[in-house]
Amino acid sequence: NSKLRHVEKDVLIPQIMREKAKELCSDHVQAFTKCCKETGLLMVVKCRQENTALKDCLVSYYRDPAFYEECKAEYLKQREEYRATGIKKIKKKLPSNV
């Protein structure tokens, strides 16, 4: 059954998309993080370029219909496994600097 509830469409699948996009844009995330650590309070002004590059990378994935369908398929697989076994899949945590 591939019917999706409102919360699945609007919350759970976008959550998977955000996590995967962060992994795929990790070089931009690391550059922004490094810039922020180096500049401290002036990061708002001095890290604009890195922030813009990171946003552009993430948004390109968020707006990609194929990426949405890929994440939707992943979610449906996880949901199917959970319904069959009753065991929730443990999410791997990204390091705090990513």
Side-chain angles (χ1 to χ4, degrees), residues 19-36:
E19 291 169 4
K20 288 184 81 164
K22 273 187 185 177
E23 289 176 21
L24 295 169
C25 296
S26 65
D27 54 334
H28 296 292
V29 172
Q30 290 173 351
F32 180 65
T33 302
K34 181 181 177 196
C35 179
C36 290

Side-chain angles (χ1 to χ4, degrees), residues 78 81-89:
Q78 289 174 1
E81 288 176 12
Y82 175 74
R83 288 181 177 176
T85 64
I87 300 171
K88 190 171 185 176
K89 182 181 174 190

Side-chain angles (χ1 to χ4, degrees), residues 33 94-98:
T33 302
L94 293 174
S96 62
N97 65 347
V98 175

